[in-house]
């Protein structure tokens, strides 16, 4: 299966200017279309769609306009079960093996049915040995008399013994007990033989023929399913709490945004962490570990409230916007750098940029450590600040919904009339999300022209986001055209930054096509 | 369940008692209580290792789910070894964890632990400090391990220099075991060990 084909499957009727309004239903549409196309299909035959030229054109368009564009679907448990069963059936039919054996093999070969079939034709034995259902060494001949079971030391009658393909016979009671203990510990696909140094895996039918308790059988099958999804390179569970949805996509390289249809959580398909473009997977892991280690100090150092730089009154931030206006003296200032908001100007927004102290004495180790901490705190504070802003804007979004409802009920226009407000808040969330994740990226960047360019673009994005946030919070009293204009500018800044800095290390479908 | 466990342990106990290793004095097994859930193992330090001549006691706890789960085993005798914690005696050995098989027995486990003393796995350490010394200064490691064997396990090799250094720290009012751990950790340099202990 190859990504080129998948990229061309999807139709893209959107252009960048109305991207915001389209975003809500993007994932729905995707999965609706893909449901039709993938689940009723044996999973291999997509060329038909690839040959449609007009689709190709649109696919290219979409990947150009949205650097984060990524084809995926959200599937329900039943749909995934169906998908897995199709692979199992395909394999068991074409190789004439039991479905339960097919499962073990697929699990071992990461669900690449075609690879198994090819290899099986070349050397069936090797496939079975690799899947650990057959031992490499010659099978022990079942002796006609068994003195006792090596595990429990009991002497049950001959017919109450069984063994896997390795020929290590144990009594059925011991097998049952072994499986029970393993299942209770959450093991399913990888339950092995009880003999010393024997790594043979017990296939499903063998396990189920020994386990009789219904709740245990159910548990086993649940674990099997989880294990299958985890071992499948195209599938990933949504990490949301109690969320049942499963993502399906075709590549695991770079920061790949997938949005859950159920809980709306943004996840990176490649690594399973919260989505993190433009930062790549290894970098965000480093950053998050670092934050977990150091954040106590950082929290301690960065206070939750700040004093107004003009009248010194203590201010608690209750909205997402960093353009602050002091309630007491009406002074406009920036929450991040505490400078006068006016001095930020529109041309060059400086406060996202970290300025290294030029007078730093390079010989003093202590000063260097302090400078390193200062640098980290600079980025961490901004990262944290935007995370907090995101939370606060989440509340704005919730109250906006009820405000719109009130307006509609009061007869002040319809939902459609107020849709732009909703869209602007959603867009703001997306922009700020990306902005938050630019800080770990910048932290690990080497100094140089590329970093300068990045910080310039980051500053531009930040300025536009704060403008947008300011306008969204006062949206009902400001001009609609003005707001929509601001939305467009902010989104363009975001995509420009991502286009220039979001890197996928392998040649994926999008780059090879474009 | 517990029925199987007790039955198995009884049989294994007999197996160990009859084995040639017991006859040769290289392993021993004793019951601690009548319920067959706690035993005490004893292994002799293997020849041509710093543990030679020492006798090491092991605490063996048999879980309810034995033999489907491994027994819990730790060193009661203090030992300087990369795969054994110098503080708690916890052992890092695959067959006591994920590589356990129901068909393994206490005899095979005791022999495996003995084999671990002859062939350490410094790349899969339980005690990082010991493992580092093993990798970087094997001569000092062997001396330290011999010294520990002598002091805790009754080994024959007395290393006067180390004894004296421990004595110096004891005179400063430091607990003997603590002093030995600190000195072993800091390459037997009194200054660094005391700095660590008093900081």
């Amino acid at each position: 299966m190859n990504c080129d084909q998948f990229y061309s499957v999807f139709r893209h009727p959107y252009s960048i200017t109305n991207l915001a309004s389209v975003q809500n239903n993007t994932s729905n549409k995707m999965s609706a279309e893909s449901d039709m196309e993938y689940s009723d299909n044996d999973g291999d035959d997509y060329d038909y769609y690839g040959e449609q030229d007009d689709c190709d054109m649109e696919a290219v368009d979409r990947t150009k306009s949205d650097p984060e564009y990524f084809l995926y679907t959200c599937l329900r448990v039943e749909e995934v079960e169906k998908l897995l069963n199709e692979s199992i059936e395909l394999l068991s039919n074409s190789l004439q093996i039991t479905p339960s054996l097919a499962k073990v093999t697929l699990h071992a070969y990461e669900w690449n049915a075609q690879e198994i079939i090819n290899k099986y034709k070349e050397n069936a034995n090797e496939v079975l040995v690799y899947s650990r259902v057959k031992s490499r060494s010659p099978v022990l001949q079942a002796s006609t008399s068994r003195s006792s079971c090596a595990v429990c030391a009991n002497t049950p009658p001959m017919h109450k013994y069984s063994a896997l393909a390795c020929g290590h016979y144990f009594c059925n009671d011991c097998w049952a007990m072994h499986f029970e203990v393993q299942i209770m510990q959450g093991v399913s696909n990888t339950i092995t033989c009880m003999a010393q140094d024997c790594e043979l895996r017990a296939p499903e039918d063998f396990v189920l023929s020994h386990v009789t308790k219904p709740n245990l059988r159910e548990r086993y099958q649940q674990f099997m399913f989880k294990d299958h999804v985890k071992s499948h390179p195209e599938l990933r569970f949504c990490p949301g709490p109690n969320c049942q949805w499963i993502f399906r996509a075709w590549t695991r390289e770079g920061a790949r945004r997938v949005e859950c249809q159920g809980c709306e959580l943004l996840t990176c398909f490649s690594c399973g962490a919260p989505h993190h473009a433009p930062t790549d997977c290894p970098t965000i892991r480093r950053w998050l570990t670092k934050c977990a280690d150091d954040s106590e100090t950082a929290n301690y150092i960065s206070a939750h409230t700040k004093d107004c730089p003009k009248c010194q009154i203590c201010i608690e931030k209750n909205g997402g916007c960093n353009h602050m206006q002091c309630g007491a003296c009406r002074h406009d200032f920036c929450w991040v750098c505490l400078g006068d908001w006016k001095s930020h100007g529109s041309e060059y927004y400086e406060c996202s940029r970290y300025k290294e102290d030029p007078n730093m004495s390079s010989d003093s180790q202590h000063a260097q450590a302090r400078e390193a901490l200062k640098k980290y705190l600079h980025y961490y504070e901004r990262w944290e600040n935007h995370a907090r802003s995101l939370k606060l804007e989440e509340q704005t979004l919730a109250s906006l919904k009820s405000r719109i409802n009130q307006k509609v009920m009061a007869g002040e226009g319809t939902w459609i009339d107020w849709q732009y407000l909703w869209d602007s808040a959603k867009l703001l969330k997306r922009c700020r999300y990306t902005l938050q994740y630019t800080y770990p990226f910048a932290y690990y960047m080497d100094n140089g022209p590329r970093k300068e360019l990045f910080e310039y673009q980051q500053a531009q994005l930040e300025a536009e986001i704060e403008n947008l946030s300011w306008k969204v919070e006062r949206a009902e009293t400001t001009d609609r055209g003005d707001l929509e204009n601001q939305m467009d500018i902010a989104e363009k800044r975001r995509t420009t930054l991502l286009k220039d800095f979001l890197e996928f290390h392998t040649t994926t479908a999008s780059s090879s096509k474009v | 369940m517990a029925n199987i466990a007790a039955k198995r342990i009884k049989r294994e106990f007999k197996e160990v008692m009859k084995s040639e290793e017991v006859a040769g004095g290289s392993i021993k097994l004793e019951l601690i209580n009548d319920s067959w859930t706690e035993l005490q193992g004893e292994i002799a330090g293997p020849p041509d290792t710093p543990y030679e001549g020492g006798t090491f006691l092991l605490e063996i706890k048999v879980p309810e789910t034995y033999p489907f789960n491994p027994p819990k085993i730790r060193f009661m005798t203090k030992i300087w070894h990369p795969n054994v914690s110098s503080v708690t005696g916890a052992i890092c050995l695959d067959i006591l964890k994920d590589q356990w098989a129901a068909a393994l027995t206490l005899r095979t486990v005791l022999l495996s632990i003995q084999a671990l003393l002859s062939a350490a796995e410094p790349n899969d350490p339980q005690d990082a400090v010991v493992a580092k010394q093993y990798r970087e200064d094997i001569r000092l490691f062997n001396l330290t391990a011999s010294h520990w064997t002598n002091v805790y396990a009754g080994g024959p090799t007395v290393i006067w220099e180390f004894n004296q250094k421990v004595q110096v720290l004891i005179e400063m009012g430091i607990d003997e075991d603590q002093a030995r751990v600190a000195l072993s950790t800091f390459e037997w340099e009194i200054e660094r060990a005391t700095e660590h202990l008093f900081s």
Side-chain angles (χ1 to χ4, degrees), chain A residues 148-154 170 174 177-178 181-182 185 194-197 199, chain B residues 1 4 7-8 11 65 67-69 95 99-105 108 112:
Chain A
S148 69
C149 166
V151 170
C152 65
N154 286 335
F170 298 100
C174 282
M177 208 74 93
H178 175 55
V181 169
Q182 295 291 311
Q185 287 168 356
M194 290 192 281
Q196 186 182 354
D197 291 330
E199 295 197 318
Chain B
M1 206 85 133
I4 297 186
K7 190 164 182 185
R8 260 280 298 250
R11 193 189 54 165
T65 50
F68 304 100
N69 275 332
I95 60 159
Q99 292 300 307
W100 170 255
L104 280 165
T105 66
T108 48
S112 299

mmCIF file of all heavy atoms in Angstrom, chain A residues 148-154 170 174 177-178 181-182 185 194-197 199, chain B residues 1 4 7-8 11 65 67-69 95 99-105 108 112:
data_model
loop_
_atom_site.group_PDB
_atom_site.id
_atom_site.type_symbol
_atom_site.label_atom_id
_atom_site.label_comp_id
_atom_site.label_asym_id
_atom_site.label_seq_id
_atom_site.Cartn_x
_atom_site.Cartn_y
_atom_site.Cartn_z
ATOM 1 N N SER A 148 4.734 -37.390 35.027
ATOM 2 C CA SER A 148 3.933 -36.367 35.691
ATOM 3 C C SER A 148 4.089 -35.049 34.948
ATOM 4 O O SER A 148 5.006 -34.869 34.158
ATOM 5 C CB SER A 148 4.378 -36.191 37.137
ATOM 6 O OG SER A 148 5.665 -35.607 37.142
ATOM 7 N N CYS A 149 3.168 -34.126 35.215
ATOM 8 C CA CYS A 149 3.254 -32.800 34.597
ATOM 9 C C CYS A 149 4.399 -32.048 35.250
ATOM 10 O O CYS A 149 4.495 -31.989 36.477
ATOM 11 C CB CYS A 149 1.924 -32.066 34.798
ATOM 12 S SG CYS A 149 2.032 -30.314 34.434
ATOM 13 N N ALA A 150 5.267 -31.456 34.436
ATOM 14 C CA ALA A 150 6.471 -30.816 34.978
ATOM 15 C C ALA A 150 6.150 -29.570 35.791
ATOM 16 O O ALA A 150 6.974 -29.092 36.550
ATOM 17 C CB ALA A 150 7.423 -30.457 33.845
ATOM 18 N N VAL A 151 4.952 -29.045 35.637
ATOM 19 C CA VAL A 151 4.612 -27.822 36.358
ATOM 20 C C VAL A 151 3.974 -28.127 37.703
ATOM 21 O O VAL A 151 4.400 -27.631 38.742
ATOM 22 C CB VAL A 151 3.707 -26.918 35.494
ATOM 23 C CG1 VAL A 151 3.157 -25.773 36.321
ATOM 24 C CG2 VAL A 151 4.491 -26.388 34.304
ATOM 25 N N CYS A 152 2.916 -28.974 37.721
ATOM 26 C CA CYS A 152 2.199 -29.168 38.980
ATOM 27 C C CYS A 152 2.596 -30.452 39.694
ATOM 28 O O CYS A 152 2.186 -30.684 40.824
ATOM 29 C CB CYS A 152 0.695 -29.162 38.733
ATOM 30 S SG CYS A 152 0.158 -30.538 37.716
ATOM 31 N N ALA A 153 3.363 -31.298 39.038
ATOM 32 C CA ALA A 153 3.802 -32.562 39.617
ATOM 33 C C ALA A 153 2.666 -33.555 39.806
ATOM 34 O O ALA A 153 2.833 -34.581 40.437
ATOM 35 C CB ALA A 153 4.534 -32.337 40.940
ATOM 36 N N ASN A 154 1.480 -33.255 39.296
ATOM 37 C CA ASN A 154 0.376 -34.212 39.349
ATOM 38 C C ASN A 154 0.536 -35.239 38.233
ATOM 39 O O ASN A 154 1.311 -35.044 37.301
ATOM 40 C CB ASN A 154 -0.960 -33.495 39.180
ATOM 41 C CG ASN A 154 -1.324 -32.740 40.441
ATOM 42 O OD1 ASN A 154 -0.889 -33.087 41.529
ATOM 43 N ND2 ASN A 154 -2.111 -31.692 40.275
ATOM 44 N N PHE A 170 2.182 -30.316 28.842
ATOM 45 C CA PHE A 170 1.833 -30.017 30.234
ATOM 46 C C PHE A 170 0.367 -30.370 30.410
ATOM 47 O O PHE A 170 -0.382 -30.453 29.426
ATOM 48 C CB PHE A 170 2.055 -28.534 30.551
ATOM 49 C CG PHE A 170 3.481 -28.094 30.406
ATOM 50 C CD1 PHE A 170 3.910 -27.427 29.272
ATOM 51 C CD2 PHE A 170 4.420 -28.373 31.396
ATOM 52 C CE1 PHE A 170 5.225 -27.029 29.115
ATOM 53 C CE2 PHE A 170 5.740 -27.971 31.255
ATOM 54 C CZ PHE A 170 6.146 -27.303 30.119
ATOM 55 N N CYS A 174 -2.798 -26.994 34.217
ATOM 56 C CA CYS A 174 -1.691 -26.047 34.320
ATOM 57 C C CYS A 174 -1.739 -25.022 33.192
ATOM 58 O O CYS A 174 -1.481 -23.841 33.414
ATOM 59 C CB CYS A 174 -0.349 -26.771 34.320
ATOM 60 S SG CYS A 174 -0.001 -27.501 35.920
ATOM 61 N N MET A 177 -4.301 -22.525 34.150
ATOM 62 C CA MET A 177 -3.819 -21.638 35.205
ATOM 63 C C MET A 177 -2.799 -20.639 34.649
ATOM 64 O O MET A 177 -2.816 -19.460 34.988
ATOM 65 C CB MET A 177 -3.161 -22.499 36.282
ATOM 66 C CG MET A 177 -3.208 -21.904 37.640
ATOM 67 S SD MET A 177 -4.863 -22.019 38.287
ATOM 68 C CE MET A 177 -4.731 -23.555 39.176
ATOM 69 N N HIS A 178 -1.915 -21.123 33.793
ATOM 70 C CA HIS A 178 -0.899 -20.280 33.168
ATOM 71 C C HIS A 178 -1.570 -19.155 32.394
ATOM 72 O O HIS A 178 -1.217 -17.983 32.536
ATOM 73 C CB HIS A 178 -0.061 -21.162 32.233
ATOM 74 C CG HIS A 178 0.965 -20.421 31.408
ATOM 75 N ND1 HIS A 178 1.924 -19.609 31.966
ATOM 76 C CD2 HIS A 178 1.174 -20.378 30.070
ATOM 77 C CE1 HIS A 178 2.689 -19.104 31.003
ATOM 78 N NE2 HIS A 178 2.249 -19.548 29.841
ATOM 79 N N VAL A 181 -3.235 -16.548 34.749
ATOM 80 C CA VAL A 181 -2.272 -15.627 35.359
ATOM 81 C C VAL A 181 -1.797 -14.595 34.333
ATOM 82 O O VAL A 181 -1.740 -13.397 34.605
ATOM 83 C CB VAL A 181 -1.075 -16.410 35.950
ATOM 84 C CG1 VAL A 181 0.046 -15.468 36.339
ATOM 85 C CG2 VAL A 181 -1.522 -17.228 37.143
ATOM 86 N N GLN A 182 -1.498 -15.064 33.131
ATOM 87 C CA GLN A 182 -1.007 -14.157 32.097
ATOM 88 C C GLN A 182 -2.072 -13.135 31.690
ATOM 89 O O GLN A 182 -1.781 -11.953 31.539
ATOM 90 C CB GLN A 182 -0.557 -14.952 30.859
ATOM 91 C CG GLN A 182 0.628 -15.851 31.104
ATOM 92 C CD GLN A 182 1.901 -15.062 31.337
ATOM 93 O OE1 GLN A 182 2.248 -14.154 30.593
ATOM 94 N NE2 GLN A 182 2.611 -15.388 32.397
ATOM 95 N N GLN A 185 -2.530 -10.458 34.032
ATOM 96 C CA GLN A 185 -1.433 -9.481 33.985
ATOM 97 C C GLN A 185 -1.442 -8.677 32.690
ATOM 98 O O GLN A 185 -0.518 -7.902 32.431
ATOM 99 C CB GLN A 185 -0.086 -10.201 34.147
ATOM 100 C CG GLN A 185 0.132 -10.675 35.570
ATOM 101 C CD GLN A 185 1.290 -11.636 35.700
ATOM 102 O OE1 GLN A 185 1.915 -12.026 34.710
ATOM 103 N NE2 GLN A 185 1.579 -12.032 36.918
ATOM 104 N N MET A 194 5.159 -22.867 28.519
ATOM 105 C CA MET A 194 5.635 -22.878 29.908
ATOM 106 C C MET A 194 7.022 -23.478 30.069
ATOM 107 O O MET A 194 7.592 -23.439 31.154
ATOM 108 C CB MET A 194 4.635 -23.642 30.789
ATOM 109 C CG MET A 194 3.323 -22.928 30.988
ATOM 110 S SD MET A 194 2.337 -23.681 32.276
ATOM 111 C CE MET A 194 1.648 -25.070 31.418
ATOM 112 N N ALA A 195 7.560 -24.064 29.007
ATOM 113 C CA ALA A 195 8.867 -24.708 29.122
ATOM 114 C C ALA A 195 9.976 -23.663 29.183
ATOM 115 O O ALA A 195 9.839 -22.546 28.681
ATOM 116 C CB ALA A 195 9.098 -25.635 27.943
ATOM 117 N N GLN A 196 11.088 -24.062 29.816
ATOM 118 C CA GLN A 196 12.221 -23.156 29.946
ATOM 119 C C GLN A 196 12.828 -22.863 28.583
ATOM 120 O O GLN A 196 13.006 -23.767 27.766
ATOM 121 C CB GLN A 196 13.259 -23.817 30.851
ATOM 122 C CG GLN A 196 14.421 -22.924 31.182
ATOM 123 C CD GLN A 196 15.435 -23.636 32.043
ATOM 124 O OE1 GLN A 196 15.202 -24.755 32.483
ATOM 125 N NE2 GLN A 196 16.553 -22.991 32.284
ATOM 126 N N ASP A 197 13.139 -21.580 28.338
ATOM 127 C CA ASP A 197 13.773 -21.145 27.094
ATOM 128 C C ASP A 197 12.952 -21.426 25.836
ATOM 129 O O ASP A 197 13.484 -21.386 24.731
ATOM 130 C CB ASP A 197 15.159 -21.778 26.918
ATOM 131 C CG ASP A 197 16.145 -21.236 27.941
ATOM 132 O OD1 ASP A 197 15.964 -20.071 28.345
ATOM 133 O OD2 ASP A 197 17.060 -21.970 28.340
ATOM 134 N N GLU A 199 10.206 -20.101 23.380
ATOM 135 C CA GLU A 199 9.575 -18.816 23.124
ATOM 136 C C GLU A 199 8.342 -18.931 22.243
ATOM 137 O O GLU A 199 7.842 -17.951 21.723
ATOM 138 C CB GLU A 199 10.591 -17.869 22.492
ATOM 139 C CG GLU A 199 11.716 -17.553 23.455
ATOM 140 C CD GLU A 199 12.497 -16.340 23.040
ATOM 141 O OE1 GLU A 199 12.766 -16.204 21.828
ATOM 142 O OE2 GLU A 199 12.823 -15.525 23.912
ATOM 143 N N MET B 1 -4.894 -23.014 43.693
ATOM 144 C CA MET B 1 -3.673 -22.320 43.297
ATOM 145 C C MET B 1 -2.558 -22.574 44.295
ATOM 146 O O MET B 1 -1.520 -23.134 43.972
ATOM 147 C CB MET B 1 -3.957 -20.819 43.226
ATOM 148 C CG MET B 1 -3.056 -20.111 42.292
ATOM 149 S SD MET B 1 -3.657 -20.169 40.611
ATOM 150 C CE MET B 1 -3.476 -18.480 40.145
ATOM 151 N N ILE B 4 -1.201 -25.986 44.267
ATOM 152 C CA ILE B 4 -0.145 -26.307 43.301
ATOM 153 C C ILE B 4 1.192 -25.775 43.790
ATOM 154 O O ILE B 4 2.207 -26.469 43.750
ATOM 155 C CB ILE B 4 -0.456 -25.695 41.914
ATOM 156 C CG1 ILE B 4 -1.730 -26.300 41.350
ATOM 157 C CG2 ILE B 4 0.708 -25.918 40.967
ATOM 158 C CD1 ILE B 4 -2.009 -25.851 39.936
ATOM 159 N N LYS B 7 2.626 -27.885 46.565
ATOM 160 C CA LYS B 7 3.017 -29.183 46.051
ATOM 161 C C LYS B 7 4.329 -29.090 45.258
ATOM 162 O O LYS B 7 5.231 -29.922 45.420
ATOM 163 C CB LYS B 7 1.894 -29.714 45.163
ATOM 164 C CG LYS B 7 2.092 -31.149 44.771
ATOM 165 C CD LYS B 7 0.828 -31.773 44.246
ATOM 166 C CE LYS B 7 1.134 -33.229 43.919
ATOM 167 N NZ LYS B 7 0.023 -33.912 43.301
ATOM 168 N N ARG B 8 4.375 -28.055 44.423
ATOM 169 C CA ARG B 8 5.571 -27.864 43.616
ATOM 170 C C ARG B 8 6.793 -27.624 44.499
ATOM 171 O O ARG B 8 7.866 -28.188 44.282
ATOM 172 C CB ARG B 8 5.377 -26.645 42.693
ATOM 173 C CG ARG B 8 4.992 -26.975 41.269
ATOM 174 C CD ARG B 8 6.191 -27.396 40.450
ATOM 175 N NE ARG B 8 7.196 -26.363 40.326
ATOM 176 C CZ ARG B 8 7.464 -25.724 39.207
ATOM 177 N NH1 ARG B 8 6.794 -25.995 38.113
ATOM 178 N NH2 ARG B 8 8.405 -24.808 39.169
ATOM 179 N N ARG B 11 8.104 -30.664 46.131
ATOM 180 C CA ARG B 11 8.825 -31.526 45.211
ATOM 181 C C ARG B 11 10.195 -30.929 44.875
ATOM 182 O O ARG B 11 11.208 -31.620 44.824
ATOM 183 C CB ARG B 11 8.006 -31.701 43.926
ATOM 184 C CG ARG B 11 8.526 -32.828 43.064
ATOM 185 C CD ARG B 11 7.865 -32.839 41.733
ATOM 186 N NE ARG B 11 7.975 -31.537 41.084
ATOM 187 C CZ ARG B 11 7.727 -31.336 39.792
ATOM 188 N NH1 ARG B 11 7.331 -32.333 39.038
ATOM 189 N NH2 ARG B 11 7.843 -30.158 39.268
ATOM 190 N N THR B 65 0.675 -17.554 43.238
ATOM 191 C CA THR B 65 0.491 -18.014 41.864
ATOM 192 C C THR B 65 1.680 -18.819 41.350
ATOM 193 O O THR B 65 1.749 -19.089 40.155
ATOM 194 C CB THR B 65 0.264 -16.827 40.930
ATOM 195 O OG1 THR B 65 1.288 -15.876 41.182
ATOM 196 C CG2 THR B 65 -1.096 -16.197 41.160
ATOM 197 N N PRO B 67 3.732 -21.937 40.281
ATOM 198 C CA PRO B 67 4.891 -21.571 39.468
ATOM 199 C C PRO B 67 4.536 -20.754 38.216
ATOM 200 O O PRO B 67 5.337 -20.659 37.313
ATOM 201 C CB PRO B 67 5.422 -22.940 39.052
ATOM 202 C CG PRO B 67 4.185 -23.771 38.899
ATOM 203 C CD PRO B 67 3.194 -23.248 39.894
ATOM 204 N N PHE B 68 3.335 -20.191 38.182
ATOM 205 C CA PHE B 68 2.984 -19.411 36.983
ATOM 206 C C PHE B 68 3.575 -18.009 37.046
ATOM 207 O O PHE B 68 3.656 -17.304 36.055
ATOM 208 C CB PHE B 68 1.465 -19.395 36.806
ATOM 209 C CG PHE B 68 0.917 -20.789 36.736
ATOM 210 C CD1 PHE B 68 0.323 -21.393 37.827
ATOM 211 C CD2 PHE B 68 1.071 -21.530 35.571
ATOM 212 C CE1 PHE B 68 -0.127 -22.696 37.770
ATOM 213 C CE2 PHE B 68 0.624 -22.834 35.504
ATOM 214 C CZ PHE B 68 0.015 -23.427 36.600
ATOM 215 N N ASN B 69 3.945 -17.592 38.247
ATOM 216 C CA ASN B 69 4.718 -16.367 38.426
ATOM 217 C C ASN B 69 6.033 -16.721 39.106
ATOM 218 O O ASN B 69 6.087 -17.700 39.858
ATOM 219 C CB ASN B 69 3.951 -15.368 39.300
ATOM 220 C CG ASN B 69 2.979 -14.535 38.472
ATOM 221 O OD1 ASN B 69 3.202 -14.305 37.290
ATOM 222 N ND2 ASN B 69 1.907 -14.093 39.093
ATOM 223 N N ILE B 95 15.324 -14.322 34.133
ATOM 224 C CA ILE B 95 14.406 -15.416 34.454
ATOM 225 C C ILE B 95 13.591 -15.146 35.727
ATOM 226 O O ILE B 95 12.621 -15.834 35.995
ATOM 227 C CB ILE B 95 15.116 -16.784 34.588
ATOM 228 C CG1 ILE B 95 16.159 -16.742 35.685
ATOM 229 C CG2 ILE B 95 15.707 -17.237 33.257
ATOM 230 C CD1 ILE B 95 16.499 -18.126 36.188
ATOM 231 N N GLN B 99 11.407 -13.481 31.646
ATOM 232 C CA GLN B 99 11.809 -14.746 31.037
ATOM 233 C C GLN B 99 11.504 -15.956 31.926
ATOM 234 O O GLN B 99 11.976 -17.059 31.687
ATOM 235 C CB GLN B 99 13.305 -14.726 30.681
ATOM 236 C CG GLN B 99 13.652 -13.770 29.557
ATOM 237 C CD GLN B 99 12.934 -14.116 28.272
ATOM 238 O OE1 GLN B 99 12.985 -15.239 27.788
ATOM 239 N NE2 GLN B 99 12.208 -13.159 27.703
ATOM 240 N N TRP B 100 10.758 -15.729 32.973
ATOM 241 C CA TRP B 100 10.364 -16.833 33.848
ATOM 242 C C TRP B 100 9.502 -17.823 33.063
ATOM 243 O O TRP B 100 8.679 -17.427 32.237
ATOM 244 C CB TRP B 100 9.577 -16.287 35.040
ATOM 245 C CG TRP B 100 8.934 -17.366 35.863
ATOM 246 C CD1 TRP B 100 7.613 -17.686 35.877
ATOM 247 C CD2 TRP B 100 9.583 -18.273 36.744
ATOM 248 N NE1 TRP B 100 7.397 -18.735 36.727
ATOM 249 C CE2 TRP B 100 8.585 -19.124 37.279
ATOM 250 C CE3 TRP B 100 10.902 -18.462 37.148
ATOM 251 C CZ2 TRP B 100 8.876 -20.139 38.191
ATOM 252 C CZ3 TRP B 100 11.180 -19.471 38.055
ATOM 253 C CH2 TRP B 100 10.183 -20.309 38.572
ATOM 254 N N ALA B 101 9.712 -19.110 33.325
ATOM 255 C CA ALA B 101 8.856 -20.134 32.718
ATOM 256 C C ALA B 101 8.402 -21.063 33.827
ATOM 257 O O ALA B 101 9.176 -21.369 34.745
ATOM 258 C CB ALA B 101 9.632 -20.915 31.659
ATOM 259 N N ALA B 102 7.142 -21.489 33.716
ATOM 260 C CA ALA B 102 6.570 -22.308 34.796
ATOM 261 C C ALA B 102 7.368 -23.586 35.024
ATOM 262 O O ALA B 102 7.352 -24.158 36.110
ATOM 263 C CB ALA B 102 5.114 -22.627 34.484
ATOM 264 N N ALA B 103 8.084 -24.031 33.978
ATOM 265 C CA ALA B 103 8.831 -25.275 34.114
ATOM 266 C C ALA B 103 10.178 -25.086 34.816
ATOM 267 O O ALA B 103 10.858 -26.054 35.117
ATOM 268 C CB ALA B 103 9.037 -25.912 32.747
ATOM 269 N N LEU B 104 10.564 -23.841 35.089
ATOM 270 C CA LEU B 104 11.813 -23.603 35.830
ATOM 271 C C LEU B 104 11.600 -23.992 37.295
ATOM 272 O O LEU B 104 10.488 -23.962 37.797
ATOM 273 C CB LEU B 104 12.184 -22.121 35.762
ATOM 274 C CG LEU B 104 12.861 -21.650 34.479
ATOM 275 C CD1 LEU B 104 12.824 -20.130 34.401
ATOM 276 C CD2 LEU B 104 14.297 -22.121 34.440
ATOM 277 N N THR B 105 12.704 -24.335 37.958
ATOM 278 C CA THR B 105 12.571 -24.736 39.365
ATOM 279 C C THR B 105 13.529 -23.926 40.232
ATOM 280 O O THR B 105 14.400 -23.223 39.721
ATOM 281 C CB THR B 105 12.921 -26.221 39.543
ATOM 282 O OG1 THR B 105 14.313 -26.378 39.245
ATOM 283 C CG2 THR B 105 12.083 -27.101 38.642
ATOM 284 N N THR B 108 17.142 -24.658 39.379
ATOM 285 C CA THR B 108 17.686 -23.974 38.197
ATOM 286 C C THR B 108 17.876 -22.491 38.471
ATOM 287 O O THR B 108 18.821 -21.871 37.977
ATOM 288 C CB THR B 108 16.777 -24.180 36.974
ATOM 289 O OG1 THR B 108 15.431 -23.910 37.343
ATOM 290 C CG2 THR B 108 16.876 -25.566 36.418
ATOM 291 N N SER B 112 21.266 -20.393 38.269
ATOM 292 C CA SER B 112 21.369 -19.222 37.391
ATOM 293 C C SER B 112 21.944 -18.033 38.143
ATOM 294 O O SER B 112 22.737 -17.261 37.591
ATOM 295 C CB SER B 112 19.997 -18.831 36.848
ATOM 296 O OG SER B 112 19.463 -19.870 36.103
#
